[in-house]
């Protein structure tokens, strides 16, 4: 188990000291609130003025290139680093003034999970339940429910060291949820997961958000984030570039589109009549030149109106990935 994991879990009291509670901004719907946060390591500036908010009941994606400061920010939110300057509130509390209070309300899943290899998953979760001072009478049932929730019940009494990387990731998520946090911080949670496990992770996180949990997730798997998140915060070089609703990221890009129809000849004729030459044709469909959402919607309507049996029509690649690339052109 890594040092940060131990520091995080083993200092959480049953109730925070009311004398050191610091209230967040006036918006009680925000689980995470960050303004002007900087962090220096000697002369190196990892964060240069990050702004971010993550509301309760929604999933916020944190997106940026390597070295953008994502993990540094998550460590600050998890109380494992202190900011050099700026304001931070997590579940209404200041992580610097009241780290124990923040930990009692926050679930933290780092990208590199440390585990006690000789414990079983059941023992591992029970250990953390005790560290979070959960009522002893509740521990056994809560641990069993979590193991079932992350599909590890059949491995509950095997040593952790026999688990695959993906299974350890799921165990890490169960550990982050053992005290029923109001805020969840996830750094690359899908790393090592197979497609089915990723789908189950998406379902679980959507369920948690629907129950009112504020979730902040960082990942390089942008296609997964696009399906999962409600909002996105783009960061680069330690600064916030943009904070958007997922539905609004298309404003950054004009995407190419792909259309597929049951009748290829009818599709080709209809596109030619509109002066549109496909950039390529594959089994996935005909790739069309870039166009706005409005123009794409009009084209689809006209194709259907002409009787072309369209069965698939959408942007090539994800909108989130396209927006990310558009905002990071200088890195190419």
């Amino acid at each position: 188990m890594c040092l940060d994991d131990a520091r995080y879990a083993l200092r959480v009291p049953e109730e925070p000291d009311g004398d050191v509670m610091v209230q967040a901004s006036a918006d009680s719907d925000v689980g995470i609130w960050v303004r002007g946060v900087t962090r220096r390591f000697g002369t190196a500036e990892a964060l240069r003025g990050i702004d971010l908010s993550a509301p309760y009941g929604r999933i916020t994606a944190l997106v940026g290139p390597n070295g953008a400061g994502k993990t540094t920010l998550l460590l600050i939110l998890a109380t494992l680093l202190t900011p050099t300057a700026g304001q931070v509130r997590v579940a209404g509390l200041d992580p610097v003034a009241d780290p124990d209070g923040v930990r009692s309300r926050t679930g933290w899943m780092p990208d590199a999970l440390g585990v006690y290899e000789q414990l079983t998953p059941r023992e591992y979760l029970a250990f953390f339940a005790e560290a979070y001072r959960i009522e002893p009478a509740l521990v056994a049932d809560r641990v069993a429910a979590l193991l079932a929730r992350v599909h590890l019940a059949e491995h509950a009494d095997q040593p952790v060291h026999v688990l695959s990387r993906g299974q350890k990731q799921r165990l890490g998520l169960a550990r982050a949820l053992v005290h029923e946090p109001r805020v969840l911080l996830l750094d690359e949670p899908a790393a090592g997961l197979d497609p089915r496990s990723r789908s189950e992770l998406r379902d679980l996180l959507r369920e948690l958000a629907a129950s009112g949990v504020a979730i902040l997730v960082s990942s390089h798997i942008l296609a997964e984030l696009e399906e999962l998140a409600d909002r996105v915060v783009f960061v680069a070089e330690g600064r916030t570039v943009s904070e958007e609703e997922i539905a609004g990221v298309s404003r950054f890009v004009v995407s190419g589109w792909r259309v597929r129809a049951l009748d290829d000849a009818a599709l080709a004729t209809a596109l030619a009549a509109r002066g549109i030459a496909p950039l390529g044709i594959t089994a996935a469909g005909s790739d069309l030149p870039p166009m706005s959402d409005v123009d794409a919607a009009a084209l689809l309507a006209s194709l259907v109106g002409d009787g072309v049996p369209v069965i698939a029509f959408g942007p090539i690649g994800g909108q989130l990935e396209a927006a990310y690339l558009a905002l990071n052109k200088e890195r190419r």
Side-chain angles (χ1 to χ4, degrees), residues 12 41 65 70-71 114 134 159 177 187 249 268 298 322:
V12 180
F41 296 92
K70 302 186 298 299
T71 296
I134 294 171
L177 298 175
D187 194 2
V249 299

Side-chain angles (χ1 to χ4, degrees), residues 28-331:
S28 61
D29 292 332
V30 176
I32 300 171
W33 183 83
V34 175
R35 290 296 178 270
V37 167
T38 65
R39 170 67 196 200
R40 297 186 183 90
F41 296 92
T43 59
E45 242 183 345
L47 301 180
R48 304 179 183 185
I50 288 280
D51 296 327
L52 176 148
S53 61
Y56 288 114
R58 308 192 75 193
I59 300 174
T60 301
L62 184 62
V63 175
N66 292 332
K70 302 186 298 299
T71 296
T72 299
L73 175 61
L74 288 170
L75 289 171
I76 288 173
L77 297 174
T79 76
L80 297 173
L81 284 176
T82 57
T84 302
Q87 297 181 328
V88 181
R89 301 292 183 268
V90 180
L93 305 177
D94 183 338
V96 176
D98 187 7
D100 290 341
V102 169
R103 290 168 186 167
S104 71
R105 293 162 169 79
T106 305
W108 161 237
M109 181 180 172
D111 60 341
L113 174 65
V115 294
Y116 290 116
E117 296 283 352
Q118 300 307 316
L119 294 181
T120 67
R122 192 188 308 277
E123 293 168 338
Y124 182 76
L125 293 181
F127 170 80
F128 278 93
E130 183 177 352
Y132 280 105
R133 298 185 182 177
I134 294 171
E135 188 73 28
L138 302 177
V139 171
D141 287 345
R142 184 171 299 182
V143 166
L146 281 170
L147 288 170
R149 202 172 192 184
V150 298
H151 304 282
L152 287 176
E154 63 184 286
H155 304 289
D157 298 308
Q158 298 176 359
V160 169
H161 70 78
V162 307
L163 300 182
S164 68
R165 181 183 178 189
Q167 289 168 337
K168 289 179 180 178
Q169 284 290 101
R170 284 184 271 150
L171 180 61
L173 179 59
R175 184 198 64 178
L177 298 175
V178 75
H179 58 304
E180 299 181 341
R182 297 184 63 207
V183 174
L184 192 57
L185 307 172
L186 306 174
D187 194 2
E188 300 289 347
L193 297 185
D194 58 46
R196 178 176 179 178
S197 294
R198 287 180 181 176
S199 177
E200 291 167 348
L201 174 66
R202 287 197 302 270
D203 291 343
L204 175 56
L205 294 183
R206 294 302 322 170
E207 178 185 333
L208 289 167
S211 72
V213 177
I215 300 175
L216 181 64
V217 54
S218 172
S219 176
H220 287 101
I221 309 173
L222 300 189
E224 295 283 342
L225 287 181
E226 188 167 356
E227 294 182 14
L228 173 67
D230 305 297
R231 309 171 62 257
V232 59
V233 179
F234 292 102
V235 295
E237 297 181 347
R239 295 186 175 91
T240 300
V241 176
S242 182
E243 190 166 352
E244 305 286 335
E245 295 293 312
I246 286 290
V249 299
S250 60
R251 72 184 181 88
F252 291 105
V253 293
V254 180
S255 300
W257 293 75
R258 179 174 293 142
V259 58
R260 187 157 59 98
L262 292 175
D263 188 334
D264 293 336
L267 175 61
T269 299
L271 291 175
R274 290 163 176 78
I276 299 175
L279 302 178
I281 300 175
T282 67
S286 297
D287 292 350
L288 308 180
M291 64 184 81
S292 69
D293 289 357
V294 172
D295 290 340
L299 174 60
L300 176 59
S302 66
L303 291 174
V304 173
D306 286 353
V308 178
V310 176
I311 57 174
F313 190 98
I316 300 173
Q319 293 283 345
L320 186 57
E321 180 177 351
Y324 168 79
L325 292 174
L327 289 168
N328 289 278
K329 288 180 179 178
E330 71 277 3
R331 288 176 53 85

